[in-house]
Amino acid sequence: MAMRRRTRHWLLAGLATVALAIPAIGQDAPESLLPSGFGEALPPDGTSVPPPPSQGERPGAQPSDATASLSEILLNEGDGEEHGDEEDIELARSKMDLPDTARRSLGRIGVITPRRHGVAPDAYGKTDGGYLTALMKKTQAPIISRWASILLRRTLLSVTDTPAHVNGADWAAERAWLLLRMGEADAARMMVQSVDVVDYTPRLFAVAMQTYLATADPAGLCPLTGLALRVSDEPGWKLSRAICASLSGDQGMASAVLDEAERRGTARGIDFRLAEKVVGAGLNSRRSVNIEWEGVDRLTAWRFGMAMATALDIPDTLWRGVSPHVQAWQSRAALLPMESRLGSVNMAARLGVFSNAALVDFYGRLAEEEGADTNEGVRVMRTAYTGGDMAQRLEAMRSFWTKDGKPDYAGYVAMARAAARLPVSAEVGDDMASIIASMLAAGLDRNAVAWSGIAGNVGGQVGEDAWAMLALGSPRPRVDTGTNRIDQYKGTDESVNFIKSRMLVAGLAGLGRMSRADMAKIAPEIGLRPNYSSRWTRAIDAAAQRREAGTVALLAAVGMQGNNWRQLPPEHLFHIVSALQRSGFEPEARMIAAEAIARL
């Protein structure tokens, strides 16, 4: 035990004040994914700032740290079974009835306020709710930009006025559904819990079902089941009656409901067996169920949620082709062995669900497990943060920065505070760009500024990329951003079709660090279209003109759909960065622009 405590100590001590975090169920408010001081002005003398303390970001719940989803549950419909016992329904309603003074308004729904990095209540202005809902439904998630996803998460969770022409509960449902598709399972749960159950609509019941499955929390369905059965024939609600009865210790009722469901064909095969498995985990249950995955050809929300709730391993064959956001759901499944979740935790970091603090804390808790000293990732993480000299630490960082011979943005996130702890020195050589990218991946922009004076001391693409990220990501650029310097960058740009140069120019112009005239002058040389216009560009520009921060954040995500950064037109980056800056998101605009260089 003493050895495990010492193992724990090296990681937490190396991170200064990175906080411990164990996923909590139903917490009152999400923690911020942003580091302390993010977006605040630099000291007048431009001095660097030590790595900010953690704000207690929790790893799996992100709530902590800003496409196709899983298929619908593949269960057969019942054959006319009544919607539950009327007495059960009335009992559920009586428990949920609230006096008018205690009822929450459907006119203003959300979790976080501007004081916690949320947007203002009027962030959507007078934009029609039907239009906003359509945007959310059609947005293919995850979003390619980690920073755009972080911003969208904060926006969707914010306490905002319900737009016109949409029911408040349905509006909450669409916000939660998009959060789920982004991998933000716990944030989605916060959203569905922000509406009183008596105000739920069929749409919110459906999304709530998906949410509690994504969070592997079948008990969360229990307060909803009685009323849900009045408006839905979804087999999952019928099975949840058995699950909830078992969890409350009423095994007779649980068995009766399961037997009836089996007789009527409400569920068959693996779906029924998984429900039995959860019932078997209830108080005083005598059901013992072995799950066989043979013959199962796809992973559904029901199968995921029931398996995670009972700590069942899902075969690798079922994970193939599943969207990355489902891996983010798995990253917060506390019942699974930590080592088995490492890959999904890294995916969550890439998507913006895990912060640097949460990711490193995960490694810290992994170090406490038996045999952790044989885990290469734990050993390398220890060296990166507490190695005896800079050479050792840099060697360890490189193993995180690269995966299968390619840059890994999850590694940049993991190494953010390790990079901020390095002494500023040109001796880092070809690692300089990765160091800058790591700090900016976690929003440590004030730490990155300290490297401005030596960014030009490293030649080649590495030094040029370090300069470009500082030109875009610094609160106030302390590197030359003139046209001659941009020409120099273009001269060393090895990217296909000068994509990095186009992103650089688009970002600088969007931030107002390059004039439109200079952008127009250099555009033909790199293939940039400065006058590009579309329905989307006009929509986001108009929303920025109206100062509708929420609409802008949503449209920015719409404009960043795709599988990788090479699919993003640089012209989109220009309009996104420009609109975000005008809408009060200047720090996020800088991080997105710098992320483009880091991820190409």
Side-chain angles (χ1 to χ4, degrees), residues 448-462:
V449 169
W451 294 76
S452 300
I454 63 170
N457 295 350
V458 177
Q461 184 76 62
V462 169

Side-chain angles (χ1 to χ4, degrees), residues 23-72:
I25 300 297
Q27 65 180 46
D28 292 332
E31 311 249 5
S32 172
L33 204 66
L34 305 179
S36 176
F38 179 72
E40 296 178 4
L42 279 173
D45 60 359
T47 55
S48 63
V49 181
S54 160
Q55 297 181 9
E57 294 99 337
R58 301 183 305 105
Q62 301 314 31
S64 126
D65 218 309
T67 220
S69 59
L70 281 177
S71 4
E72 294 295 326

Side-chain angles (χ1 to χ4, degrees), residues 123-206:
Y124 298 100
K126 297 186 181 302
T127 300
D128 186 79
Y131 171 74
L132 293 169
T133 297
L135 288 179
M136 290 183 184
K137 285 183 175 179
K138 294 179 180 179
T139 298
Q140 301 291 306
I143 310 302
I144 61 171
S145 166
R146 180 177 189 272
W147 276 102
S149 189
I150 291 171
L151 175 59
L152 180 58
R153 171 187 169 276
R154 284 164 38 210
T155 301
L156 294 174
L157 277 176
S158 294
V159 179
T160 52
D161 297 332
T162 300
H165 305 128
V166 64
N167 175 276
D170 287 339
W171 174 241
E174 296 309 328
R175 292 156 72 179
W177 184 232
L178 180 49
L179 285 164
L180 278 180
R181 304 196 315 272
M182 293 163 59
E184 298 280 3
D186 289 279
R189 178 168 57 192
M190 287 186 170
M191 182 51 56
V192 300
Q193 290 176 344
S194 67
V195 175
D196 294 330
V197 178
V198 292
D199 291 324
Y200 270 41
T201 58
R203 177 62 175 166
L204 187 50
F205 275 120

Side-chain angles (χ1 to χ4, degrees), residues 571-587:
E571 295 80 9
H572 279 207
L573 183 69
F574 166 73
H575 286 277
I576 288 167
V577 169
S578 175
L580 290 176
Q581 185 185 48
R582 288 182 287 158
S583 303
F585 296 128
E586 190 268 350

